[in-house]
Amino acid sequence: MKQTEIVIDTYLCNGCGSCVELCPEVFGMDEIGEKAILVTSEPEITDKVREAIIYCPEKCIELI
Ligand code: SF4
């Protein structure tokens, strides 16, 4: 079975940093602080990740 992956649509991301605040284990900001990135290659889908997805104002974090 394929593992669930987190995908960030960086086109839609507004760089608010909410996901980083809610779950810094998985989300970070790029070097110019404009877009969210994943800080781990094999993130665990925890409740904090789900919370970050729910609270993303642009709804640009997805589980696939
Ligand atoms: S919460 Fe959404 S819009 Fe804000 S930085 Fe994270 S991915 Fe981007």
Side-chain angles (χ1 to χ4, degrees):
M1 202 176 88
K2 194 179 165 292
Q3 211 194 317
T4 304
E5 280 180 48
I6 303 171
V7 176
I8 301 168
D9 185 333
T10 49
Y11 181 75
L12 293 176
C13 173
N14 69 11
C16 71
S18 162
C19 56
V20 185
E21 245 175 76
L22 289 167
C23 189
E25 298 85 356
V26 170
F27 301 100
M29 295 306 286
D30 67 9
E31 65 281 0
I32 49 172
E34 275 193 346
K35 302 284 181 183
I37 56 167
L38 295 176
V39 295
T40 171
S41 56
E42 287 182 7
E44 224 186 297
I45 314 300
T46 59
D47 285 351
K48 282 167 84 180
V49 169
R50 293 183 193 282
E51 210 177 330
I53 292 171
I54 290 165
Y55 287 106
C56 171
E58 302 298 336
K59 299 285 173 254
C60 61
I61 310 171
E62 254 192 318
L63 296 181
I64 59 166

